[in-house]
Amino acid sequence: MIWVYVSVVALSCVSLKYLFSLRSCYPVLSTCDNRQIQDILRKCCFVEEPYQPAFWCPSGRLMTIASTFMRHWHHKRFQYFRQTLPATDGGEVCVDWSEDMELSNESREDQRPVVILLSGITGSSQAPYTVNMVRYLEKHGWTCACYVYRGMEGSKITTGLSYYASFTDDLCVIIDHVEEMRPQSPIFVVGVSLGAAITFNTLSKCPDVSKKVKAAVCLSMPWDFFKTSEQLASGFDYWIFNRAIARNLRNFAFQHQEQIAKLGVSLESIRTITRIREFDETVVIKMGGYSSVEEYYSDASPLLQLDRISTPLLAINADDDPFCFVQAMPSEDQMKGCSAPIGLLRFASGGHVGFLTNHSPVNLFTNHIIQEFFEQSNTC
């Protein structure tokens, strides 16, 4: 009798897998009124390639949660080669290279592309999704350089400054350093979540540095910090995502309390933080010298900086991303009314940095999209 139940369960699973495999979604591409980005994307095969989300993740929230657990479960640390650079404010900024990059004539003659990667809000070079991208790009012959946020993954905070969405100084230092290390190599940048916002803001606010970047990809980027804050303020998103991230930020502040105290932030105010916005109000606006969190969100929101981009940039988002739902993304009219070289590739499903498929419970479906976009950008 037990075999009957086992057979029914197995048949049900197969049927569910078949049903969910039918929900392939084709990307929706919108571009600004810019010939350069349109020519690049016209050559890319991924714009017509369907994406089959993992059948066991029928919602964006589930995809976000499942991808986090699955990647952590399968995660193996990557062996990086670290360099510590002097920052503009007297502090330190670290870069984790995928290979040994001692300055030599041999490395200076290397023409292989270099990809600078930025992780999410409490991520690092060892974040599973970062390592997943590094392994993929390295396998295809690319050199990777991961921007290690101050205070993360063993790096130090020495001046009170760490990182936030509109902080551009450290990425500028890294781009300049990569150009010095590999003057013959094209430079690309990939930012994930908060790292995507840092990437976008750096390219929009630092024109001299942006000229050194061949192209950039922003994955699961929160376009509007006001709307993201509202989305995470209540209900399921607050209890599952907001509180968890706020706890990590609170622990980060405690870990570096001596340096954070230089900003005039007390331990008592840190202990009461239960939301990301509260961390921004308590710590970030003092780091950035903002008068209010509203001023910070205005300065940090990529949606308000569209016209200032001059580097070919592809943003990849999922409509069911709990951190950036479709209403917070640029509208078709906003894209058409802008002349910057920006493309927005939207998928109906994918969650926040999820993009799992039926074929892999770990790998990012977007890896090959990033590679192809960079390859085509390098030929234009």
Side-chain angles (χ1 to χ4, degrees):
M1 192 66 180
I2 190 172
W3 292 107
V4 175
Y5 291 114
V6 171
S7 300
V8 170
V9 171
L11 182 60
S12 299
C13 290
V14 171
S15 299
L16 283 171
K17 181 175 181 178
Y18 171 73
L19 289 173
F20 282 119
S21 70
L22 296 179
R23 66 184 191 107
S24 297
C25 54
Y26 285 84
V28 176
L29 176 65
S30 56
T31 64
C32 292
D33 186 17
N34 181 280
R35 181 69 178 272
Q36 184 182 17
I37 192 67
Q38 292 170 354
D39 287 346
I40 293 172
L41 291 171
R42 193 175 293 117
K43 299 177 182 179
C44 295
C45 298
F46 60 74
V47 297
E48 297 180 352
E49 179 185 357
Y51 163 52
Q52 286 192 346
F55 75 95
W56 35 274
C57 294
S59 74
R61 291 178 176 87
L62 186 56
M63 177 79 77
T64 302
I65 296 169
S67 63
T68 301
F69 281 106
M70 293 298 290
R71 288 181 184 132
H72 274 285
W73 188 27
H74 290 270
H75 179 55
K76 293 182 180 179
R77 290 180 65 85
F78 190 88
Q79 180 62 53
Y80 291 104
F81 298 86
R82 176 163 293 187
Q83 289 183 327
T84 302
L85 314 174
T88 56
D89 67 324
E92 298 178 351
V93 55
C94 295
V95 184
D96 280 352
W97 291 88
S98 60
E99 57 191 69
D100 197 347
M101 289 295 296
E102 288 299 322
L103 190 60
S104 66
N105 291 331
E106 182 178 346
S107 65
R108 290 181 64 83
E109 296 301 318
D110 198 331
Q111 298 183 12
R112 288 176 300 155
V114 177
V115 182
I116 301 171
L117 295 97
L118 291 80
S119 60
I121 190 168
T122 55
S124 69
S125 57
Q126 292 293 350
Y129 56 80
T130 304
V131 171
N132 186 257
M133 286 190 286
V134 169
R135 292 189 192 281
Y136 180 90
L137 292 168
E138 186 190 42
K139 180 180 177 181
H140 289 81
W142 298 54
T143 302
C144 296
C146 297
Y147 167 10
V148 182
Y149 300 139
R150 301 192 205 186
M152 301 298 292
E153 200 61 40
S155 62
K156 298 178 181 178
I157 300 177
T158 59
T159 64
L161 272 178
S162 181
Y163 66 99
Y164 48 91
S166 57
F167 183 55
T168 62
D169 291 9
D170 285 359
L171 181 53
C172 289
V173 168
I174 292 172
I175 291 171
D176 287 340
H177 177 69
V178 170
E179 185 188 44
E180 179 186 350
M181 295 286 289
R182 295 276 287 271
Q184 305 298 321
S185 298
I187 300 173
F188 301 92
V189 183
V190 179
V192 179
S193 190
L194 182 84
I198 295 174
T199 298
F200 196 102
N201 283 312
T202 301
L203 296 179
S204 68
K205 298 174 182 180
C206 307
D208 291 339
V209 172
S210 69
K211 293 175 184 177
K212 303 176 182 181
V213 177
K214 193 74 175 179
V217 169
C218 293
L219 178 63
S220 295
M221 179 169 67
W223 285 90
D224 187 325
F225 276 67
F226 291 101
K227 291 184 178 178
T228 295
S229 180
E230 292 172 7
Q231 172 71 12
L232 297 176
S234 61
F236 183 90
D237 294 330
Y238 166 69
W239 289 102
I240 300 301
F241 301 122
N242 203 337
R243 284 178 63 90
I245 295 173
R247 181 178 63 249
N248 291 338
L249 291 171
R250 189 170 63 242
N251 292 338
F252 173 83
F254 277 130
Q255 182 182 354
H256 302 283
Q257 56 185 274
E258 290 185 9
Q259 297 301 325
I260 299 295
K262 293 179 179 179
L263 303 171
V265 179
S266 67
L267 289 180
E268 286 303 317
S269 61
I270 295 174
R271 287 194 181 96
T272 61
I273 292 174
T274 59
R275 302 170 186 268
I276 300 171
R277 184 186 177 99
E278 292 171 358
F279 182 83
D280 293 338
E281 291 172 332
T282 305
V283 179
V284 171
I285 65 171
K286 293 186 178 180
M287 281 188 185
Y290 295 105
S291 60
S292 66
V293 73
E294 287 77 18
E295 183 186 5
Y296 166 51
Y297 286 174
S298 293
D299 190 40
S301 294
L303 189 61
L304 305 179
Q305 325 287 340
L306 288 179
D307 284 319
R308 300 173 67 176
I309 291 290
S310 59
T311 302
L313 185 147
L314 178 65
I316 306 173
N317 286 91
D319 291 352
D320 61 0
D321 186 338
F323 289 77
C324 182
F325 46 95
V326 65
Q327 291 84 354
M329 301 177 200
S331 66
E332 191 69 28
D333 289 341
Q334 285 175 306
M335 293 292 286
K336 289 181 178 178
C338 175
S339 60
I342 300 174
L344 172 59
L345 194 70
R346 288 176 31 229
F347 291 91
S349 182
H352 189 72
V353 201
F355 294 102
L356 300 179
T357 69
N358 289 327
H359 306 292
S360 172
V362 178
N363 293 330
L364 280 157
F365 170 77
T366 51
N367 282 341
H368 75 285
I369 295 176
I370 295 169
Q371 180 196 5
E372 185 181 4
F373 177 70
F374 285 163
E375 287 175 344
Q376 295 299 340
S377 299
N378 201 29
T379 61
C380 289

